[in-house]
Amino acid sequence: SESRSRSRRGKEGALPSFVPGGAGLFAGLPAKRTVAANTVYLTFDDGPSPLTEKILDVLKHYRIKATFFVVGRCLESAAGQETARRILREGHSIGMHSDTHHYRKIYASVDNWLDDFAAVEKKLADITGVRPTIFRFPGGSINVYNAHLYQELIAEMTRRGYVYFDWNISNGDALGLSARAETLVANVVSRQPDNSRTVVLMHDSAGKTETLK
């Protein structure tokens, strides 16, 4: 099931012992931010791709900002790297998603997760000069692949100063390529979360052309 949108932090006293993976992987204390009520956050996972460029064009036209959680393997091409730089240049937010997006591998252990995370963070830093402190777990913070260690993952990432974001509304484009744009829109506007902050999950991978519409 889809997770709540607010950033999560490990409970005091629940932190596990130090996990040695991801040497040097610390973000410091995140800055406190004031968020206005009735705010809608548009978030895109699994890019960048050529489709991301078109999404950025639309966002620029309507003067809307979004957040992009990127995949490391998509940053290996010159085009992907330039798109990552454009995301920041045009005032959007960028965060880590995964380097490989291989669920079974990254969720096999906390060390595996940290190694994967460190790889995508390094790529972003090398490409953009920025080290983001926000990220999104592939599949959300609690899913069938990480059910056995999600508490450890959350606690370890929190201890290192990173903040993760789930979502409370999805447009449904992760379910396949068959959904039409009208259905994706209806999936968003017909659902009202329990709080005034709406975080919408969408995807900007190459095949999500209906999301662009």
Side-chain angles (χ1 to χ4, degrees), residues 50-69:
L51 187 71
T52 310
E53 289 287 329
K54 297 178 181 180
I55 290 173
L56 288 170
D57 290 342
V58 173
L59 294 172
K60 185 175 182 179
H61 176 77
Y62 289 102
R63 299 181 180 180
I64 295 172
K65 303 304 179 186
T67 301
F68 294 82
F69 294 101

Side-chain angles (χ1 to χ4, degrees), residues 157-177:
M157 295 305 290
T158 299
R159 189 184 69 79
R160 292 171 183 254
Y162 295 93
V163 180
Y164 76 90
F165 286 86
D166 284 328
W167 58 91
N168 56 7
I169 288 183
S170 170
N171 75 341
D173 64 358
L175 302 178
L177 302 176

Side-chain angles (χ1 to χ4, degrees), residues 1-10 39-45 67-69 95-97 101 103 107 113 133-144 146 150-151 153-155 157-158 162-171 193 195 197-203:
S1 63
E2 294 176 359
S3 307
R4 291 293 182 189
S5 65
R6 67 179 183 276
S7 62
R8 310 289 181 81
R9 301 177 184 277
T39 301
V40 176
Y41 296 90
L42 302 182
T43 69
F44 296 88
D45 290 6
T67 301
F68 294 82
F69 294 101
M96 284 74 67
H97 194 36
H101 212 274
Y103 281 65
Y107 290 135
W113 164 261
T133 59
I134 62 172
F135 73 99
R136 173 170 285 160
F137 287 105
S141 57
I142 305 173
N143 60 71
V144 296
N146 72 5
Y150 75 89
Q151 291 177 316
L153 291 175
I154 292 171
M157 295 305 290
T158 299
Y162 295 93
V163 180
Y164 76 90
F165 286 86
D166 284 328
W167 58 91
N168 56 7
I169 288 183
S170 170
N171 75 341
N195 55 57
R197 298 177 189 176
T198 301
V199 180
V200 181
L201 170 66
M202 297 175 283
H203 295 80

Side-chain angles (χ1 to χ4, degrees), residues 79-94:
Q81 294 169 16
E82 177 53 32
T83 299
R85 288 189 285 265
R86 181 186 174 189
I87 287 171
L88 290 172
R89 189 167 61 244
E90 296 188 357
H92 304 286
S93 297
I94 198 166

Side-chain angles (χ1 to χ4, degrees), residues 194-212:
D194 297 333
N195 55 57
S196 61
R197 298 177 189 176
T198 301
V199 180
V200 181
L201 170 66
M202 297 175 283
H203 295 80
D204 60 324
S205 46
K208 306 300 182 181
T209 54
E210 291 299 308
T211 297
L212 174 65

